[in-house]
């Protein structure tokens, strides 16, 4: 949920496309075998973990790049 709130749906799609392109490149180079289900499961788990990690830390990354902090506004 925090990943979706931080980078949005478009960010998730772009990040998934980037990771899919990396996996495609690894397969085309012959470093990754698609028929090895165990290796592909590990690749999917690592990519999912990286996506969640980037999403959860995105506000910190954006603050470092732009210098502006993102805060939630609560009206009472």
């Amino acid at each position: 949920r925090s990943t979706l709130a931080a980078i949005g749906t478009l960010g998730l799609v772009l990040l998934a496309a980037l990771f899919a392109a990396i996996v495609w490149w690894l397969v085309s180079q012959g470093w990754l075998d698609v028929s090895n289900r165990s290796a592909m499961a590990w690749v999917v788990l690592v990519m999912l973990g990286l996506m969640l990690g980037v999403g959860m830390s995105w506000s910190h990354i954006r603050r470092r790049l732009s210098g502006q902090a993102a805060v939630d506004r609560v009206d009472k």
Side-chain angles (χ1 to χ4, degrees):
R1 184 169 168 100
S2 65
T3 300
L4 187 59
I7 61 177
T9 306
L10 180 62
L12 277 175
V13 169
L14 290 175
L15 203 56
L18 173 69
F19 289 146
I22 292 170
V23 170
W24 186 0
W25 178 71
L26 289 173
V27 169
S28 70
Q29 292 295 319
W31 296 339
L32 186 62
D33 186 19
V34 179
S35 63
N36 187 352
R37 294 180 69 154
S38 177
M40 290 305 292
W42 275 104
V43 167
V44 169
L45 286 174
V46 166
M47 296 300 172
L48 184 61
L50 286 172
M51 284 179 66
L52 291 175
V54 166
M56 288 191 298
S57 61
W58 185 250
S59 63
H60 299 293
I61 296 168
R62 186 182 338 182
R63 185 184 67 215
R64 289 281 259 172
L65 291 175
S66 69
Q68 296 178 348
V71 295
D72 291 333
R73 187 172 172 188
V74 178
D75 295 327
K76 288 190 176 195

